[in-house]
Amino acid sequence: MATAAGRSATDAPSNTDLEADIRQLKADIEELTRQLAKTRDDSYGAARRAATEGVEQLRAQGEAAFESVRGSAQDLEAQLIASVREKPVTSLAIAAGIGFLFALLSRR
C-alpha cells in the first residue's frame, strides 16, 4: 500500500499522488476480494468433504448394525426351531398360553 510517510506536514499531496494512492487502494481491495472468495470456496469445499465423509461413515455404521441385528435374529430363529423340534408339546402349550394372554389383554 502506498503511504504518505515521505511527505512533511507542510507538503500538500498533489493530484497525482492522490490518484496513485486511490489506484493502490483499489488494487488492494481487489486482492482482498480475491483472497476472501478463495477462502470461502476452500471452506465450502472442506465442509462439503467433511459432510460427505460423515454420511459415508454413518451409512457404514448403520449397515454394520443392521447386519448385527440380522445375525442375532437368525440365531434366535435357529434356537427357536431347535427348541420346537426337541419339545413340540411344550412349545405348543407355551404358544397357546401366550395366545390366551394376548386374547385377555386385547379384550380390555
Side-chain angles (χ1 to χ4, degrees):
M1 288 187 178
T3 62
R7 295 185 205 122
S8 68
T10 57
D11 290 341
S14 67
N15 282 342
T16 307
D17 291 339
L18 289 175
E19 288 173 0
D21 287 346
I22 291 172
R23 278 193 303 276
Q24 184 62 44
L25 284 172
K26 284 182 180 179
D28 291 344
I29 290 171
E30 288 175 5
E31 179 61 25
L32 284 172
T33 303
R34 281 192 296 275
Q35 288 176 354
L36 286 173
K38 184 180 183 309
T39 301
R40 181 199 66 213
D41 292 344
D42 291 346
S43 297
Y44 174 75
R48 186 177 177 109
R49 280 189 302 277
T52 301
E53 290 170 3
V55 166
E56 288 298 318
Q57 187 177 31
L58 287 175
R59 185 184 59 76
Q61 288 175 350
E63 287 177 357
F66 177 75
E67 288 301 319
S68 174
V69 169
R70 187 177 185 183
S72 297
Q74 288 172 345
D75 292 344
L76 182 62
E77 179 185 10
Q79 289 175 358
L80 185 62
I81 289 171
S83 177
V84 168
R85 285 188 179 152
E86 260 181 43
K87 301 176 184 178
V89 176
T90 305
S91 300
L92 185 59
I94 291 172
I98 291 173
F100 181 72
L101 286 176
F102 279 136
L104 285 177
L105 291 174
S106 66
R107 282 186 178 179
R108 294 179 185 186

